[in-house]
Amino acid sequence: DIVMTQSPDSLAVSLGERATINCKSSQSVFHSLNNKNYLAWYQHKVGQPPELLIYWASTRESGVPDRFSGSGSGTDFTLTINSLQAEDVAVYYCQQHYGTPPTFGGGTKVEIK
Amino acid sequence: EVQLVESGGDLVQPGGSLRLSCAGSGFIFSTFWMNWVRQTPGRGLEWVASIKQDGSETSYVDSVKGRFTISRDNAKNSLSLQMNNLRADDTAVYYCVREGIVVAAFDYWGQGTLVTVSS
């Protein structure tokens, strides 16, 4: 199985500042047939189901604010939240869809400082 | 509007059985892979099982193989998860999840149903 490792486990960021979350996969999730990274990011707020934020490592899902951005390739990926808003408080997960089983990172809890 | 509504979660004793159901609406159910994903406070999100559009292929996480069975009824736009020989570590919120056609990601999630395995 592909192991997804996120860091940090949690972070506290002031309103309006930037939050950066890292995700590392135990093997590459880049598919050479279509030149895409099979890496997604989800936001999970308390009492709600997870929501898809980013797919193909850097493509924002429809309706996701542009302060959310994804980057990286191969085994190393980053989710950046620019200008953190109060409604961004959540746990964020990366997930690979390259191999079976699809696997998630352990999550990063983002709070307001 | 895409909707996925789970039902069937309950308190069950270790070794017991439970059947979860998911009703899909707002999309052509038969054209999507469907999945069950669970969430526990200690282990975060864990994919449990998936089923192909026509039900001809299924996959499971190792920890549930031989105990859980995923199935679907496209005529009724429904997804099911039969869970047998339940263990304490199966305790979780179970989500019915749609897998995107164009994107390799889980694009819609239900609200979840709680399964508690305890004596």
Side-chain angles (χ1 to χ4, degrees):
Chain A
D1 297 1
I2 298 176
V3 177
M4 308 299 291
T5 304
Q6 284 184 237
S7 62
D9 292 337
S10 65
L11 74 162
V13 177
S14 300
L15 289 172
E17 297 301 306
R18 178 180 299 169
T20 301
I21 301 168
N22 300 302
C23 174
K24 189 174 183 67
S25 58
S26 61
Q27 66 185 74
S28 176
V29 298
F30 178 77
H31 208 307
S32 57
L33 288 179
N34 58 4
N35 289 328
K36 292 190 183 297
N37 288 283
Y38 282 57
L39 189 287
W41 289 97
Y42 301 86
Q43 176 190 64
H44 193 187
K45 296 182 180 180
V46 173
Q48 297 183 22
E51 287 191 8
L52 176 64
L53 292 177
I54 304 277
Y55 57 92
W56 300 139
S58 60
T59 303
R60 265 189 306 276
E61 174 72 323
S62 175
V64 173
D66 60 8
R67 64 179 180 273
F68 292 91
S69 64
S71 62
S73 184
T75 61
D76 292 278
F77 301 91
T78 300
L79 175 69
T80 301
I81 310 173
N82 285 306
S83 188
L84 190 79
Q85 304 297 303
E87 61 264 31
D88 300 334
V89 168
V91 179
Y92 293 84
Y93 294 91
C94 62
Q95 177 246 329
Q96 66 80 19
H97 222 107
Y98 181 88
T100 299
T103 47
F104 293 86
T108 296
K109 186 175 185 179
V110 174
E111 299 173 305
I112 304 297
K113 185 186 292 183
Chain B
E1 179 193 5
V2 172
Q3 284 197 319
L4 296 165
V5 180
E6 303 94 338
S7 60
D10 205 346
L11 170 64
V12 61
Q13 292 189 341
S17 298
L18 207 59
R19 187 177 184 88
L20 305 183
S21 298
C22 170
S25 61
F27 65 103
I28 303 174
F29 186 83
S30 61
T31 62
F32 289 85
W33 280 79
M34 295 298 297
N35 300 261
W36 290 97
V37 176
R38 64 188 178 185
Q39 191 250 337
T40 63
R43 300 197 305 273
L45 294 173
E46 180 182 44
W47 169 84
V48 174
S50 66
I51 186 167
K52 194 176 179 180
Q53 291 92 333
D54 61 0
S56 62
E57 291 182 32
T58 59
S59 294
Y60 302 89
V61 68
D62 283 349
S63 61
V64 310
K65 283 179 182 176
R67 301 188 299 123
F68 289 13
T69 302
I70 188 172
S71 61
R72 66 192 296 164
D73 184 340
N74 288 337
K76 295 181 179 179
N77 293 341
S78 70
L79 178 73
S80 297
L81 185 68
Q82 176 66 41
M83 304 186 294
N84 298 329
N85 192 19
L86 281 159
R87 312 187 306 217
D89 62 357
D90 294 318
T91 295
V93 175
Y94 285 75
Y95 295 100
C96 171
V97 183
R98 192 184 85 169
E99 190 169 326
I101 289 178
V102 176
V103 306
F106 299 133
D107 62 355
Y108 281 93
W109 300 61
Q111 288 294 320
T113 188
L114 176 62
V115 172
T116 303
V117 184
S118 175
S119 54

